[in-house]
Amino acid sequence: MSRLDLAAQRFNAALDRLLQTAEPRSGVLPTSDDAAAQLAAIAEERDRLLARVAQLEEEARTLSGITGEVENRLDSAIAEIRTALGR
């Protein structure tokens, strides 16, 4: 599991705990359009951040593949140089 996966899990767990804490208290406070708008904005931001995490995970997988390819090419080049130098 990548660091991004772990971060996303911790983020989701923290948001879930926040929502669990806030829900019982929401009955005590009067509801308002501002609160509903803020909650909608927070939910929208959460969705945006989750999408960004998914995008970053995909980029990390792509970079990992490229890194492996570069590593293999460097190893081959080093082997060719050693062969050419007679080592």
Side-chain angles (χ1 to χ4, degrees):
M1 191 171 272
S2 73
R3 291 182 353 182
L4 289 174
D5 290 331
L6 293 173
Q9 286 180 351
R10 286 194 312 267
F11 178 72
N12 283 328
L15 283 176
D16 289 340
R17 285 191 307 272
L18 177 63
L19 289 174
Q20 288 174 356
T21 302
E23 283 183 53
R25 294 181 182 159
S26 66
V28 175
L29 299 174
T31 59
S32 70
D33 291 337
D34 287 340
Q38 287 177 344
L39 185 57
I42 290 170
E44 183 179 318
E45 183 177 4
R46 178 183 181 180
D47 292 341
R48 183 184 60 78
L49 289 172
L50 288 173
R52 181 66 176 140
V53 166
Q55 180 184 13
L56 290 171
E57 287 173 341
E58 180 60 33
E59 288 177 17
R61 283 189 290 275
T62 300
L63 289 173
S64 177
I66 292 170
T67 301
E69 185 178 331
V70 169
E71 180 182 0
N72 290 337
R73 287 184 182 186
L74 283 173
D75 287 343
S76 295
I78 290 170
E80 287 179 26
I81 291 168
R82 285 185 176 156
T83 301
L85 293 174
R87 290 187 181 174

